[in-house]
């Protein structure tokens, strides 16, 4: 089967001449449809840069990124906008909701942009809100709801278009453990049921334990890859913790 | 539901940030429309004899106002767009093409524009009626302003602002096209470097400012610098002062603040360290804004003070040159008005004199005549012996007039020596200029033609326009020197000048206030986090408020002090130029300016605290 995402030898360099700094230095990997992949690594290893580059938010210095047969490295601004609209979803640590729109309107936004008919929009919004357990909050404003609820709103917004790929950058970073667990359970349920493909950057071993595969990144390069396989979530959590201790003194990061 | 609907909703709910922009645009339109209405007003043209002068002043001022208003809207718009970067970024992230976002903002801008244009013209119409009344009053005309909507003004305003809106829309497009998605996620991480004092810039700043001030205080006639630079001197002064102001904000203040910060005794007490750091942190970025505010303030205070000073002194100046209410050469006229204080007939002789190679024409009068008139005009009595003379010269200016004291004058057989010179006369200067007082016997001996003059003094002389007209009718072709007529024409000219001056001054003031307001609101947004942290680590309310006061107070006070300092030098130069003491009107004007400025400061402070949401973090 063809992978949904193919990352080939990408680099991202900052600065010039002798002062050049490579945030990413030759990263290659593949993600197949229906996978829930985590990216881990110590602070400053290049996790977020990697995500931004793949997610078309930033551009790579060299290398190619192929999402579903399309090489996004060669795309123009306009094409990228269309591509994002039709294929990608985003969740961020700080939600990025529009404060002036209600929860419902925030979720509607990407569908409105894609010019879907109103009946379809309504149905999709109700369904996704039900799934994330925010159906009762649809007419509230972002400042009236909790952080966990905001993040579930953001996730609904990201997934309501049924994107080929969902990018999540530390989605649980600002959440308490209960909200984080709820969100992660929702995401993995979606992943299991609807075959959504998710790429999540995190430094939290607990969040990562919901993934099926973890990529470890260090100094801009992939250092290791582990699979959950048949392990339970708890066992996988232990595996990840061990792995983090092996990788280096950065186990502090997970606490 | 379409993107368009959502955008509209977003607009409605974001009313607060829109309101600020909308308010600025509305304000600009109201001001501009009012001004243009006044310019086209038939009332003014029909009433004032000096309407050509008024029209000229109005036209020139409307161009200044136009440039200013356009810049102001563009500034407000760029601030507004900056505030909405997050929204734009999110749209872009969700896959809206830049073209569409641009169209959205364009549409929004045009809707806002048309709305503000309509409301602005209605408000401006009402305001112009009120202002017209004030203008007519200031010009000393008895008339009621009519209430008509000028179609010329409407068309003019609409065209001008449509062009401005088109420009701001393009500005919006530019921002969107330059916008990089990654900026949305890095905005907070961008750090500023703490500025370091630069020796060179500090010295250059102080030197440039000192040079500008020094040059401004040089005398027009005697200074070597004026001779070298000629007509470009004022430009050199302005450049030196503006550059000096910028460097001062850019470096000198950084230097001073750094010293203050390094003074541990002072800095390490309470929040002083934080307060200074806050100011220091932003001062480089703010240098341009602070300079703009300082220069705007200086312009407002200087032009307002100068015009108000002239207006204030108009009566005195006219009195200096026209000490008699009426004066003419020829036969006596019987005046019946009960306001008449004196009605005198005076004889004087004209003769040509050669002094230092130049021929002058002087009027001679005997000392008894002088003393009689001096008594009527409440001046001191003079004594002149045979062979002596006293010169009266109302045009005398020590900078460029020659003082003839000690000079020997000879007309035919009579020889006298000038013992004194007075810079005021008993005659109206437009009939008899320089006068020489000699003793009665010297006057008798003077072989020269002999003329008869009529001098009339009246009570309440500023209001004797009717008597003046009547008298002129009686006199026919004879030239009448009339105080009320001269006073009226100078007040008409100055009144409109004063009106335009205060009007523009007010516009500048409000705009200056708004620029500071925008600045402070941006800072409040940025500082919220800092103050929350402070609160969390246990800093009390009172102390935080003190720091905020310091921060805002600085942004307000620094440019105000510079502006006042600049204008003080400019006005003292102006006062020297016109040879009048304008201290009182200038001080009144400055106090008014500072008062309005302080109100804006107070409002900004209140809003700043509000943005930090004291209640929320209490």
């Amino acid at each position: 089967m063809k992978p949904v995402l193919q990352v080939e030898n990408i680099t991202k360099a900052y600065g010039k001449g002798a002062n050049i700094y490579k945030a990413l230095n030759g990263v290659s990997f593949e993600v197949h449809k229906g996978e829930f992949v985590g990216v881990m690594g110590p602070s400053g290893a290049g996790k977020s840069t990697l995500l931004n580059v793949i997610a078309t938010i930033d551009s790579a210095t060299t290398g190619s990124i192929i999402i579903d047969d399309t090489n996004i490295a060669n795309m123009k601004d306009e094409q990228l906008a269309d591509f994002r609209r039709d294929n990608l979803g985003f969740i961020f640590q700080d939600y990025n909701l529009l404060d002036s729109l209600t929860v419902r309107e925030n979720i509607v936004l990407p569908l409105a942009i894609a010019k879907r008919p109103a009946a379809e929009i309504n149905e999709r919004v109700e369904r996704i809100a039900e799934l994330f357990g925010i159906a009762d909050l649809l007419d509230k404003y972002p400042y009236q709801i909790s952080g966990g609820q905001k993040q579930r709103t953001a996730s609904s917004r990201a997934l309501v278009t049924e994107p080929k790929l969902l990018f999540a950058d530390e989605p649980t970073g600002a959440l308490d453990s209960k909200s984080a667990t709820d969100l992660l359970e929702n995401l993995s349920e979606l992943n299991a049921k609807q075959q959504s493909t998710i790429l999540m950057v995190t430094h939290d071993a607990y969040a990562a334990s919901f993934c099926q595969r973890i990529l470890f990144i260090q100094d801009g390069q992939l250092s290791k890859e582990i699979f959950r396989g048949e392990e339970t979530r708890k066992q996988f959590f232990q595996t990840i913790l061990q792995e983090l201790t092996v990788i280096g003194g950065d186990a502090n990061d997970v606490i | 539901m379409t993107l368009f609907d959502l955008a509209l909703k977003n607009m409605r709910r974001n009313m607060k940030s829109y309101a600020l922009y909308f308010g600025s645009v509305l304000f600009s339109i109201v001001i501009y429309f009012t001004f243009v209405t006044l310019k086209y007003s038939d009332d003014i043209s029909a009433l004032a004899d000096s309407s050509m002068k008024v029209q000229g002043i109005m036209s020139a001022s409307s161009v200044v106002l136009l440039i200013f208003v356009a810049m102001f809207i563009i500034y407000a718009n760029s601030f507004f767009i900056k505030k909405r970067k997050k929204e734009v970024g999110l749209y872009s992230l969700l896959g809206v093409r830049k073209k569409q976002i641009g169209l959205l903002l364009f549409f929004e801008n045009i809707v806002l524009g048309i709305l503000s244009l309509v409301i602005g013209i209605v408000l401006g119409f009402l305001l112009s009626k009120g202002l017209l009344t004030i203008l007519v009053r200031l010009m000393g005309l008895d008339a009621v302003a009519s209430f008509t909507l000028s179609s010329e003004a409407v068309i003019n305003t609409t065209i001008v602002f449509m062009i401005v809106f088109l420009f701001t829309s393009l500005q919006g497009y530019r921002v969107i096209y330059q916008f990089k998605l990654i900026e949305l996620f890095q905005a907070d991480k961008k750090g500023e470097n703490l500025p370091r004092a630069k020796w060179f810039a500090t010295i250059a700043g102080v030197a440039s400012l000192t040079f500008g001030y020094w040059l401004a205080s040089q005398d027009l006639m005697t200074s070597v610098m004026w001779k070298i630079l000629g007509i470009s001197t004022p430009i050199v002064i302005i450049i030196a002062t503006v550059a000096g102001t910028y460097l001062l904000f850019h470096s000198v203040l950084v230097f001073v603040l750094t010293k203050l910060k390094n003074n541990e005794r002072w800095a390490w007490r309470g929040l002083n360290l934080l307060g200074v750091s806050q100011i220091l942190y932003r001062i480089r970025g703010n240098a341009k804004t602070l300079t703009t505010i300082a220069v705007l303030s200086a312009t407002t205070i200087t032009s307002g003070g100068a015009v108000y000073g002239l207006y204030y002194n108009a009566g005195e100046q006219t009195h200096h040159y026209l000490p008699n209410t009426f004066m003419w050469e020829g036969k006596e006229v019987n005046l019946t008005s009960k306001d008449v204080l004196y009605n005198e007939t005076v004889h004087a002789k004209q003769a040509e004199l050669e002094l230092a190679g130049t021929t002058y024409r002087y009027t001679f009068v005997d000392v008894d005549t002088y003393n009689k008139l001096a008594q009527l005009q409440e001046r001191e009595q003079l004594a002149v012996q045979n062979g002596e003379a006293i010169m009266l010269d109302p045009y005398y200016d020590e900078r460029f007039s020659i003082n003839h004291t000690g000079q020997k004058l000879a007309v035919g057989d009579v020889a006298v020596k000038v013992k004194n010179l007075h810079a005021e006369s008993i005659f109206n200067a437009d009939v008899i200029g320089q006068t020489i007082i000699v003793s009665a016997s010297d006057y008798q001996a003077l072989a020269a033609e002999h003329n008869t003059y009529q001098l009339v003094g009246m009570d309440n002389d500023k209001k004797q326009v009717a008597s003046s007209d009547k008298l002129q009718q009686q006199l026919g072709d004879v030239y009448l020197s009339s105080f009320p007529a001269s006073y009226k024409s100078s007040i008409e000219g100055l009144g409109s000048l004063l009106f335009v001056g205060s009007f523009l001054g007010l516009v500048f003031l409000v705009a200056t206030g708004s620029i500071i307001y925008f600045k402070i609101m941006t800072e409040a947004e940025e500082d919220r986090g800092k103050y929350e942290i402070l609160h969390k680590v246990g800093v009390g309310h009172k102390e935080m408020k003190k720091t905020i006061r310091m921060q805002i107070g600085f942004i307000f006070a620094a440019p105000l002090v510079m502006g006042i300092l600049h204008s003080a030098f400019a006005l003292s130069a102006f006062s020297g130029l016109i040879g009048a003491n304008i201290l009182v009107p200038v001080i009144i004007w400055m106090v008014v300016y500072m008062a309005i400025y302080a109100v804006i400061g107070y409002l900004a402070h209140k809003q700043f605290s509000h943005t930090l949401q004291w209640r929320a973090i209490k």
Side-chain angles (χ1 to χ4, degrees), chain A residues 14 52 56-58 77-78 81-82 84-85 90 92 94 96-102 104-106 108-110 112-113 115-116 118 121 141 157, chain B residues 1-4 6-7 9-11 13-14 86-87 90-100 177 179-186 188-189:
Chain A
Y14 294 105
N52 284 342
T56 73
I57 292 171
D58 206 351
D77 243 16
E78 298 271 274
D82 289 352
R84 277 198 296 273
R85 184 188 70 202
F90 301 89
F92 301 96
D94 50 3
N96 276 317
L97 297 174
L98 283 182
D99 294 331
S100 53
L101 298 181
T102 60
R104 182 196 301 278
E105 287 158 352
N106 264 295
V108 165
L109 199 58
I113 290 167
K115 298 203 177 93
R116 312 304 306 178
I121 291 181
Y141 284 92
R157 184 182 65 193
Chain B
M1 213 181 296
T2 60
L3 177 63
F4 184 75
L6 284 178
K9 241 180 206 164
N10 187 33
M11 193 167 156
R13 306 238 176 82
N14 257 337
K86 184 190 169 190
E87 192 191 327
L90 193 63
Y91 285 148
S92 179
L93 184 69
L94 292 176
V96 184
R97 289 181 174 197
K98 284 183 172 175
K99 216 191 286 168
Q100 277 173 293
Y177 276 92
F179 177 81
K180 285 204 174 64
L181 205 43
I182 189 80
E183 282 171 22
L184 176 66
F185 308 96
Q186 286 182 339
D188 313 336
K189 293 169 197 160

Side-chain angles (χ1 to χ4, degrees), chain B residues 119-427:
Chain B
I119 301 175
I121 285 178
V122 171
L123 288 179
F125 172 57
L126 297 175
L127 186 66
S128 64
K129 156 82 178 163
L131 287 178
L132 200 56
T133 315
I134 296 174
L135 179 57
V136 165
R137 182 78 54 81
L138 275 176
M139 286 167 69
L141 303 170
D142 294 318
V144 182
S146 68
F147 210 55
T148 47
L149 184 65
S150 156
S151 59
E152 282 152 311
V154 173
I155 293 167
N156 184 321
T157 309
T158 309
I159 292 174
V160 161
F161 280 93
M162 276 302 166
I163 293 170
V164 172
F165 291 140
L166 210 64
F167 185 83
T168 50
S169 299
L170 291 178
Q171 197 185 14
Y173 266 110
R174 217 196 61 203
V175 169
I176 291 161
Y177 276 92
Q178 282 176 352
F179 177 81
K180 285 204 174 64
L181 205 43
I182 189 80
E183 282 171 22
L184 176 66
F185 308 96
Q186 286 182 339
D188 313 336
K189 293 169 197 160
K190 225 183 261 172
E192 296 165 71
N193 291 325
L194 200 61
R196 285 229 209 105
K198 285 182 189 139
W199 272 105
F200 176 71
T202 307
I203 294 166
V206 174
S208 172
L209 211 55
T210 316
F211 175 70
Y213 282 171
W214 174 78
L215 197 54
S217 59
Q218 291 302 296
D219 192 89
L220 182 64
M221 291 299 146
T222 56
S223 158
V224 187
M225 287 310 287
W226 273 92
K227 257 180 217 138
I228 299 169
L229 296 166
I231 199 77
S232 60
T233 311
I235 299 167
V236 174
I237 294 174
I238 291 170
I239 291 172
T241 333
V242 171
T245 313
Y246 179 74
L247 287 172
L248 185 95
F249 285 130
H250 196 259
S251 288
V252 180
L253 276 175
V254 172
F255 182 75
V256 173
L257 288 169
T258 313
K259 277 264 174 284
L260 205 58
K261 196 180 162 185
N262 291 340
N263 177 359
E264 296 174 1
R265 266 231 208 118
W266 180 84
W268 292 1
R269 185 178 302 154
L271 287 181
N272 284 348
L273 186 65
L274 181 83
V276 173
S277 297
Q278 291 275 56
I279 296 168
L280 202 53
Y281 194 56
R282 294 225 174 82
I283 198 150
R284 283 267 157 85
N286 280 346
K288 248 187 248 163
T289 315
L290 292 178
T291 308
T292 311
I293 297 165
V295 171
L296 271 178
S297 294
T299 316
T300 313
I301 299 174
T302 307
S303 57
V307 176
Y308 186 46
L310 281 176
Y311 184 77
Y312 192 86
N313 273 327
E316 221 169 282
Q317 286 276 329
T318 316
H319 253 298
H320 177 77
Y321 293 110
L322 308 176
N324 303 290
T325 313
F326 301 116
M327 180 170 170
W328 67 95
E329 188 184 341
K331 280 189 213 129
E332 194 179 337
V333 171
N334 197 23
L335 292 166
T336 47
S337 169
K338 61 177 187 306
D339 283 336
V340 176
L341 298 173
Y342 61 86
N343 189 351
E344 295 291 327
T345 304
V346 168
H347 300 288
K349 290 179 179 172
Q350 257 96 27
E352 283 182 358
L353 272 179
E354 219 183 81
L355 280 177
T358 320
T359 311
Y360 295 92
R361 193 175 169 78
Y362 278 105
T363 302
F364 288 83
V365 70
D366 72 89
V367 71
D368 297 334
T369 309
Y370 175 86
N371 281 337
K372 191 171 73 180
L373 285 170
Q375 195 184 357
L376 291 169
Q377 292 173 9
E378 291 160 2
R379 290 171 206 274
E380 71 181 297
Q381 301 285 307
L382 295 175
V384 180
Q385 306 299 319
N386 286 343
E388 282 181 352
I390 292 175
M391 211 179 252
L392 302 177
D393 185 357
Y395 298 113
Y396 180 77
D397 186 314
E398 57 183 320
R399 287 170 301 178
F400 36 81
S401 303
I402 307 159
N403 192 335
H404 295 295
T405 307
Q407 191 90 33
K408 285 201 171 108
L409 312 172
V411 185
D413 304 335
V414 182
V416 290
K417 191 181 169 195
V418 180
K419 75 163 182 180
N420 218 337
L421 185 134
H422 289 215
E424 49 182 33
S425 180
I426 46 164
F427 299 119

